[in-house]
Amino acid sequence: MMSDYALQQAFNALSVGGEYALLALGLAIVFSVMHLVNFAHGDMITVGGYAMFLLILFGVRDPFLVLPFGVLITVLAALLIERVAFKPVRGASPTTGMLTAFGVSIIIQNVALIFGGSRPKAVQTADWLASSLSIGSVQIPVVQVLETVVTLAAIIGLVALMRYTTVGLAMRAAAKDVPVVRLMGVKADRVILSAFAISGFLAGLAGIFILARRGAVDPFMGFAPVLKAFVAAVLGGFGSLPGAVVGGFALGIAEVGLQVLLPPEIAGFRDAFVFLLIGIVLVFRPQGILGERPDFGEKS
Amino acid sequence: MLSLSNVHVSYGPIKAVRDVSIEVKEGEIVALLGPNGAGKTSLISSVVGLAPIASGRIAFNGHEISKEPTEKIVARGLTLTPEGRRVFADLTVGENLRLGAACRRDKAGIAEDLEKYLELFPILRKRYASRARMLSGGEQQMLAIARSLMSRPKMLMLDEPSLGLAPRIVDQIFELLSSLRGQGLTMLIVEQNANEALSLANSAYVVASGALVFSGTASDLKSSGEVMEMYLGLEGQE
């Protein structure tokens, strides 16, 4: 019995960690290429969520249409935000970019508030997402299994993209030296749009699972995800893609682990313990688990 | 092939280059010399759109390129191996070279060139899977040059290819540049190491404090004791 419980919680930790990893990767890939902390990352999920809500409202119920549509709209939202909001401030100080991101976030939240109201709107993703798999005596929600599998697939796909495609190589190179990437004949625009497209795609995937869990959209649903993504990315080492994955899983495992291990009287303070743990890690590794120490000056 | 007319480069109120005109003919090697801080790097960075041109014209093969973005200029066949090599340290040698060909679509040609340069730079074949940060300074310089060549340029500009390298390695680099000249590559070489550069160059320009102080053939410069001494710290020949 005890081992069944442990197995269930292990899956829970993996799926929560996977969700955080997807979110943190999306944040990290944009940061690594253009040193922008996109605090509107979570609101892209909101846009995708409302898009699914609207599609269902118009009578489309097939999840194989609704879910990809949500991901597609999230990607388009990411690209549109880049064009409209971030491109005009490209080259400005990082603070300007961050404030722009907050601005985008506030606008999206308020548009959703004005046209949708503050009350959550139910979104039925798919029945089978809400069901459970029985493995022996263990019940594991389908959403958790899928989330773990999709996260791993997304990570493998991303690694392949970053290693084997020219645009992937360019994105890795641009993290350190944009002018020389342009000297290779690569358009800076193309690298940045690719980073936003990938970021939107990962947010869209995470969005599906977030929606499957909550079963509803509301204007502020993007806040918790972006916060988790930010914490996971800092923990893993900001700007490092492997760091984002490790940070995401570490955060998920710490949350679920503490939920299980803490006595019930203080389990309500779980997040305080999580942040305490992260604080301790950062005291010893200020650059995050896999982050690099800041590089002062160029070696020649 | 490349012609700069009355080029000014400014960073805000600071004028880095004033009224410089330079002509590079096809198949020629031109040395751009001058003391530290003379504006050499600013000048050739401006040619590929990486430094702000305040005024003047730059034409490459008859096209006005002074307002074009870097990537377009590179696609036209003019590229720069930047100062300090600036290889992509976290990418492998192979990945650096593949990225060098990013503006090309001819797969077969890219594979052919890759083989050709691995032949020409055997050390890069040996270190193909290593991260570029693991290479020595000289190896990084060779990688930087090979990476530039992977775009199949018609003309290559090199910014201080000998900077910080041991004399033996400097000789190797210049031997290599000489063999590239043999293949008909047009080059503009920025150097502080005037002797090496002049041994290779057909013509030379000297800049000091952002302005041109000499232009002529390499042998004219060598025999101009005053310029050699004043700006390059070298004894001129009789």
Side-chain angles (χ1 to χ4, degrees), chain A residues 9-54:
Chain A
Q9 290 304 333
F11 245 99
N12 192 11
L14 272 183
S15 72
V16 172
E19 182 185 311
Y20 294 166
L22 286 179
L23 291 165
L25 264 177
L27 207 59
I29 200 158
V30 165
F31 181 82
S32 77
V33 169
M34 53 188 305
H35 297 276
L36 166 79
V37 183
N38 181 12
F39 278 107
H41 192 67
D43 302 293
M44 294 173 354
I45 294 174
T46 311
V47 173
Y50 273 89
M52 288 193 260
F53 168 72
L54 284 176

Side-chain angles (χ1 to χ4, degrees), chain B residues 13 18 27 45 60 62 71 91 105 129 146 154 183 193 196 198 202 209 221 238:
Chain B
R18 283 172 290 132
S45 302
F60 179 65
E71 48 273 13
L91 271 59
R105 293 285 164 272
K154 299 185 182 85
Q183 296 171 23
N193 192 338
E196 290 273 12
L198 287 175
N202 307 95
S209 312
L221 177 56
E238 292 309 306

Side-chain angles (χ1 to χ4, degrees), chain A residues 67-86:
Chain A
L67 302 184
F69 180 73
V71 176
L72 178 71
I73 295 297
T74 314
V75 172
L76 292 179
L79 294 176
L80 185 72
I81 290 169
E82 197 284 320
R83 274 294 97 127
V84 175
F86 294 126

Side-chain angles (χ1 to χ4, degrees), chain A residues 160-175:
Chain A
L161 184 88
M162 298 302 266
R163 270 211 192 146
Y164 302 116
T165 69
T166 304
V167 76
L169 291 178
M171 277 191 275
R172 281 164 61 202

Side-chain angles (χ1 to χ4, degrees), chain A residues 162-166 169-170 172-173 176-177 179-188 190 292 298-300, chain B residues 48 50 69-71 74 79-80 82 84-86 88 90-92 95 98-100 102-103 105 131 133 147:
Chain A
M162 298 302 266
R163 270 211 192 146
Y164 302 116
T165 69
T166 304
L169 291 178
R172 281 164 61 202
K176 294 285 161 65
D177 198 337
V180 180
V181 170
R182 300 183 61 196
L183 267 181
M184 305 294 108
V186 181
K187 286 195 182 93
R190 189 168 149 233
E292 287 170 27
E298 187 65 28
K299 295 178 286 288
S300 57
Chain B
V48 288
L50 291 177
T70 306
E71 48 273 13
V74 173
T79 194
L80 164 71
R85 340 201 204 292
R86 285 164 79 173
F88 302 118
D90 294 329
L91 271 59
T92 66
E95 288 172 337
R98 273 164 55 208
L99 200 47
C103 63
R105 293 285 164 272
R131 281 178 197 264
R133 70 164 74 253
R147 182 181 64 177

